[in-house]
Every structure is written in structure tokens, then in C-alpha cells.
Amino acid sequence: NAGVTQTPKFRILKIGQSMTLQCTQDMNHNYMYWYRQDPGMGLKLIYYSVGAGITDKGEVPNGYNVSRSTTEDFPLRLELAAPSQTSVYFCASTRAWRDHEQYFGPGTRLTVT
Amino acid sequence: DAKTTQPPSMDCAEGRAANLPCNHSTISGNEYVYWYRQIHSQGPQYIIHGLKNNETNEMASLIITEDRKSSTLILPHATLRDTAVYYCIVRVGAGNMLTFGGGTRLMVKP
């Protein structure tokens, strides 16, 4: 199993541009999450999904959108990039609510200038 | 949600045991204690979890006090590769959204 994969690894955006961060997991996990991590800080939850077709907001959802059309994929969309969205983005998954481990991807480092 | 308190940083000599404390005085009876670590901007990695009893796996041991208000993560023989930020998290289950605070930055020195 590849686990949780994210693309791209790095990206530089200009203010106002849009992009989609890709996240895929091959473990048949129902739950998927998007976190962001600003320099020197802990992770903050952006959006999460409990299954295909079901998504909900986390702590910091403004400026982002998500969709979950399949169990495997959970893309994160930035519509109008702002410097405040410069961060490292992590995708994670877990099989069920009562499971004990979240599996994290390697992250996408995004810079908005 | 139970909040956790961890020291911001700790040092440990290579080969010695690293003992990382965590206070969670408002923990509920059905909440687990989880430990994750993050090595140099990589994705966080699960280490261990426990409810009431002490737990051990191939990576670490977790000691939870009898009143469950605090715990200690023990890395028995720390190596340079254990240098990382360690997060103590209290949750009902991993499906529940994880809240990462500041964690403890562990520096293992030769």
C-alpha cells in the first residue's frame, strides 16, 4: 500500500490564482482530513469527510473548498489564493471513528506571493 | 474536549531514555491519550495510545497515572532520529478530529 499520497510537493502561487491540492489513499478508509500547519505551529483542521459525498468544515475552512466523490480521493481547492494561505498542507485518513491511528501524507508546501 | 499541556522543549542524550510528560487534567472517562510525533516538517506519525493501563509497543511506552490526569511517553533508548516534535492529544477516537497544540520539541544530542 502507498498509504496517503499528496500532490504536488511544492507550489508557488500568485495572489488571486487558484489550485487544487490532491490527496489519495489506498487503504479504503472512510474518514479523511485536511490540515494546515503554519511555521512553528501545530496543525489546524480545515475540512474533513466521513465518507464519499459527505464533507464538513473544521476549524479554519474560509478560503477553501473540498469534495469527496470517491472513497479514495479528497481534493482541497483554493479559489483565490491569499498570502495568509501560505502554509504546509497535510491530508490524513482513518478507517473508522473508533480506530486509533490517523495516517498522514507527506504534505504540500504552498507559498502565495 | 480535554486540553493538554506539554513543556515546549526538552533535551536528551543519545542512548538514554527520553521521558516526555503531558498533563490532561480535564480528561473524560472515555477519552484516550494519543501520542504523535512530527519529524522535520514531515507528516505526523502515530506512536502509541492508551486509555487507563500502561502500554508498550516497538516504538515507545506510555505511562498513565491512576487518576488519568497526566501521562508520560517514554522512548527507552533515544537516537538522533528521534529528534522531533511530540504531540500529546486526548480524544475519544482517531476518527475524531485531532487537535494539535504546540507539542514538545525533543532534541536528542550525541
Side-chain angles (χ1 to χ4, degrees):
Chain A
N1 287 349
V4 180
T5 57
Q6 294 183 237
T7 57
K9 286 188 170 57
F10 304 94
R11 183 73 185 269
I12 299 174
L13 280 183
K14 294 190 186 303
I15 294 171
Q17 287 185 322
S18 301
M19 77 164 294
T20 299
L21 282 67
Q22 301 291 348
C23 175
T24 300
Q25 52 87 13
D26 62 358
M27 299 173 282
N28 201 32
H29 284 175
N30 291 314
Y31 288 69
M32 296 187 74
Y33 312 83
W34 275 106
Y35 296 89
R36 61 175 284 176
Q37 185 174 33
D38 298 334
M41 308 294 285
L43 282 71
K44 293 185 178 180
L45 183 69
I46 305 171
Y47 270 96
Y48 67 100
S49 169
V50 302
I54 306 170
T55 63
D56 207 347
K57 296 177 181 178
E59 183 184 359
V60 289
N62 290 345
Y64 307 94
N65 279 301
V66 293
S67 59
R68 184 95 182 271
S69 56
T70 67
T71 299
E72 295 79 18
D73 301 308
F74 190 39
L76 178 72
R77 178 85 177 159
L78 282 71
E79 289 295 347
L80 292 170
S84 61
Q85 293 177 306
T86 293
S87 192
V88 182
Y89 292 84
F90 292 102
C91 179
S93 73
T94 192
R95 185 182 62 87
W97 191 73
R98 284 285 180 180
D99 276 11
H100 292 295
E101 181 174 353
Q102 278 195 17
Y103 297 80
F104 284 82
T108 294
R109 187 175 296 274
L110 176 67
T111 301
V112 182
T113 61
Chain B
D1 296 333
K3 294 191 186 300
T4 62
T5 304
Q6 300 178 251
S9 64
M10 294 180 65
D11 289 344
C12 178
E14 189 178 18
R16 304 296 293 269
N19 297 283
L20 290 87
C22 180
N23 286 324
H24 32 79
S25 58
T26 59
I27 191 170
S28 301
N30 62 345
E31 288 183 308
Y32 290 81
V33 179
Y34 294 89
W35 283 85
Y36 281 74
R37 73 179 182 184
Q38 189 175 24
I39 297 174
H40 190 52
S41 298
Q42 295 178 19
Q45 176 191 23
Y46 165 86
I47 302 172
I48 198 168
H49 75 276
L51 184 63
K52 287 190 280 192
N53 300 322
N54 299 338
E55 302 287 345
T56 296
N57 63 19
E58 65 278 4
M59 288 181 68
S61 294
L62 174 60
I63 309 297
I64 302 174
T65 58
E66 192 168 342
D67 63 8
R68 302 211 322 126
K69 293 185 177 181
S70 66
S71 61
T72 301
L73 178 75
I74 301 172
L75 309 178
H77 305 287
T79 71
L80 298 179
R81 287 178 295 181
D82 291 322
T83 292
V85 178
Y86 288 78
Y87 296 99
C88 170
I89 299 165
V90 174
R91 270 293 183 269
V92 175
N96 213 328
M97 288 68 73
L98 299 178
T99 300
F100 289 81
T104 295
R105 186 172 298 276
L106 176 68
M107 180 74 70
V108 181
K109 299 183 175 180

